[in-house]
Amino acid sequence: MRKVAISNQKGGVGKTTTAINLSSWLHRKGFRVLAVDLDHQANLTTGLGINPAELKMSVWDLLTSQAEFEEVAIDRAGLHVIPSNIKLSSADLVLGGEVGRDYLLKQALQHADYDYIIIDCPPSLGLMTINAFTFVNELVIPVQSEFYALQGLGSLLQAVELTRQRLNPVLEIAGVLCTLFDGRKNLHKEAVEFIRNSFSGHVFETVIRDNIALAEAPSHGQSIFEYAPNSHGAEDYGRFGEEFILLEEGIHVEEKAGEAD
Ligand SMILES: Nc1ncnc2c1ncn2[C@@H]1O[C@H](COP(=O)(O)OP(=O)(O)OP(=O)(O)O)[C@@H](O)[C@H]1O
Ligand SMILES: [Mg+2]
């Protein structure tokens, strides 16, 4: 089982878009997939066609042991989803002082049996993100194809390192994913080059282009493969999926590239 968190504390970099479309692609390939929404904004939940306001149970009830996994998980045509809603916004405040507060997700999902568990993290390094880091084996870090994309990544990497030391020694960075790429802008090409140089060997070959269909699909509650299967967005996330499944658990993009040499 590969457990993957999609994380970057910077907002609007394509975390949720990546979580929705990677989960959907894996599901369409026939894998057993669980997508978990750990963000109180509930964009993954909404983007997969689930109305957060109508939920009886959400990830909050699961984390606080008020509900069983089976009561919270929603079967969306075979893709299983742990939805979120606004209740989760008080998590840091309410759960911050709890014993074992970093292990709540790990405990809640201890019996979950899937090929892939994909977790959409909120844009912060708060309690929910640390819960994700404690539970998963791998991290995918989406960054916008801009020069300032790497600003703030130092604190993310520091959080990863501390989590490794204190909570989860097997945590690895699967790779950095460049998103919102506009090939007409030289600045974007240079930025991707810069990101590749800065994170040598840890950046996915696939670059996700800026594509309007990717922005439209969530309002229809659909993945890009349902909404616009012939779009650039579907092509890019399909290519990313292929690249992603080739990575074995814990193996860096760099090591894989080294093997190919
Ligand atoms: N490749 C893309 N092309 C066009 N629009 C995109 C692309 N990726 C994401 N978007 C749009 O950009 C916005 C931010 O994307 P998304 O919600 O995936 O980012 P996020 O990192 O999850 O944001 P947050 O930090 O708020 O959770 C959304 O409106 C989304 O539809
Ligand atoms: Mg998001």
Side-chain angles (χ1 to χ4, degrees):
M1 174 155 73
R2 284 177 68 181
K3 299 178 286 186
V4 188
I6 316 292
S7 180
N8 184 341
Q9 81 274 26
K10 193 170 273 198
V13 296
K15 293 182 290 292
T16 303
T17 306
T18 300
I20 288 176
N21 292 307
L22 178 61
S23 302
S24 301
W25 186 85
L26 290 166
H27 168 60
R28 291 167 84 84
K29 283 282 157 186
F31 293 108
R32 296 171 309 136
V33 182
L34 175 70
V36 181
D37 195 343
L38 266 195
D39 186 356
H40 73 263
Q41 297 180 101
N43 292 341
L44 176 128
T45 302
T46 314
L48 286 170
I50 301 159
N51 183 348
E54 288 175 1
L55 292 172
K56 286 202 181 71
M57 302 277 184
S58 71
V59 68
W60 169 258
D61 301 278
L62 189 62
L63 293 171
T64 53
S65 306
Q66 296 179 83
E68 297 294 326
F69 178 83
E70 292 74 20
E71 295 176 276
V72 179
I74 293 175
D75 186 341
R76 184 192 182 275
L79 170 64
H80 291 184
V81 184
I82 297 287
S84 174
N85 60 19
I86 193 69
K87 274 192 196 172
L88 198 61
S89 59
S90 60
D92 285 56
L93 196 65
V94 176
L95 304 174
E98 295 255 322
V99 175
R101 63 187 174 204
D102 302 317
Y103 292 94
L104 299 171
L105 184 68
K106 188 170 182 168
Q107 191 181 20
L109 297 182
Q110 61 184 327
H111 301 303
D113 179 23
Y114 291 89
D115 298 317
Y116 291 91
I117 298 182
I118 309 291
I119 301 181
D120 185 26
C121 292
S124 81
L125 292 173
L127 185 61
M128 288 302 104
T129 295
I130 299 304
N131 263 267
F133 288 7
T134 302
F135 171 66
V136 301
N137 311 110
E138 300 171 66
L139 224 60
V140 169
I141 307 173
V143 299
Q144 257 179 284
S145 305
E146 307 266 2
F147 274 107
Y148 57 74
L150 300 183
Q151 273 176 18
L153 231 52
S155 40
L156 176 62
L157 298 180
Q158 197 178 10
V160 171
E161 191 48 43
L162 285 175
T163 307
R164 241 185 229 143
Q165 288 170 16
R166 298 177 185 171
L167 299 161
N168 179 13
V170 302
L171 181 63
E172 296 284 353
I173 295 172
V176 170
L177 176 66
C178 297
T179 65
L180 289 150
F181 176 78
D182 183 347
R184 292 166 302 182
K185 293 185 182 158
N186 274 335
L187 207 59
H188 278 204
K189 289 184 190 153
E190 288 165 18
V192 169
E193 190 97 327
F194 175 69
I195 293 164
R196 285 199 194 286
N197 289 337
S198 310
F199 262 87
S200 172
H202 290 80
V203 181
F204 287 100
E205 281 300 318
T206 308
V207 169
I208 308 295
R209 286 170 282 186
D210 194 327
N211 178 237
I212 186 71
L214 282 171
E216 291 167 351
S219 61
H220 297 266
Q222 292 180 328
S223 76
I224 194 65
F225 306 106
E226 295 157 318
Y227 179 69
N230 298 318
S231 62
H232 281 168
E235 185 186 330
D236 292 347
Y237 273 109
R239 197 177 300 143
F240 171 59
E242 298 281 1
E243 191 179 351
F244 176 78
I245 56 172
L246 283 178
L247 289 178
E248 287 156 42
E249 193 177 292
I251 303 220
H252 291 216
V253 178
E254 186 180 48
E255 289 161 10
K256 205 74 197 165
E259 280 172 27
D261 284 344

